[in-house]
Amino acid sequence: MKTSTWGRFSLLLGACLMASASPAQEGDAERGQETSATCVACHQANGGGMNISGGESWPRLAGLNAGYIAKQLHDFKSGERQNATMMPFANMLNDQQIADVAAYYSQLPPTPGQGGENADEALLDRGEQLAERGDWNAYIVSCKSCHGPGGQGVGETFPGIAGQHAGYISAQLNAWKNDTRSNDPQNLMGAIAKRMSEEDIQAVSAWYATQPAAEGEAAQ
């Protein structure tokens, strides 16, 4: 790998380690449970979401970091992150309600991911390689460089993706690849997703969907 390429990826990895968010507004999980009534249709009562093959999959929120959930809701509300379905719901919430519903979902036990159960061994092996080691021949940094070993998440900037639905992961990777999502630190995800083939995206999405999410993920 050329020196300039190493330098570029060193900056990428350094950004993963250094990125941090401002202190989050404190939320109340009990109030958040009441607010979450508007979320149940898509994200389910247990926060498990839905994997919809060939359609719009809804992410598991249960067990995700509260600060991360709150940031995404604020980004939907401001338009920094675009989603025609989420925007009107986010606009219904004030800052305190966002903090409350984020706190509520963060303390729910994670549910299993879906969408990777029928993947063949070769696809899952490729997904594990990309997730845990990356592919330097394709200049793809491992997912664990930012999301932690096993994709368990690192604080509120890099969410846990283990146990997330394959359909949702692949949709977001394609969104970063096609520049329709860009609300991550220093466009880290965009730079990586653009180097991934469609098979790579399917592989890493399926592998993470088969991995267990850590209990207590929200405390990271």
Side-chain angles (χ1 to χ4, degrees), residues 13-31:
L13 293 173
C16 286
L17 295 172
M18 294 173 61
S20 61
S22 58
Q25 184 169 345
E26 186 174 354
D28 181 282
E30 187 173 343
R31 289 197 306 258

Side-chain angles (χ1 to χ4, degrees), residues 35-93:
T35 304
S36 72
T38 60
C39 313
V40 168
C42 295
H43 296 286
Q44 309 299 300
N46 64 357
M50 292 189 292
N51 187 75
I52 303 175
S53 180
E56 184 176 8
S57 295
W58 300 104
R60 167 183 61 82
L61 302 181
L64 290 182
N65 183 278
Y68 177 78
I69 297 173
K71 180 187 185 302
Q72 301 313 303
L73 286 169
H74 282 294
D75 287 354
F76 285 127
K77 189 172 182 177
S78 69
E80 185 174 352
R81 181 176 174 184
Q82 294 289 322
N83 183 281
T85 305
M86 279 301 305
M87 188 173 291
F89 288 102
N91 281 326
M92 292 168 59
L93 306 177

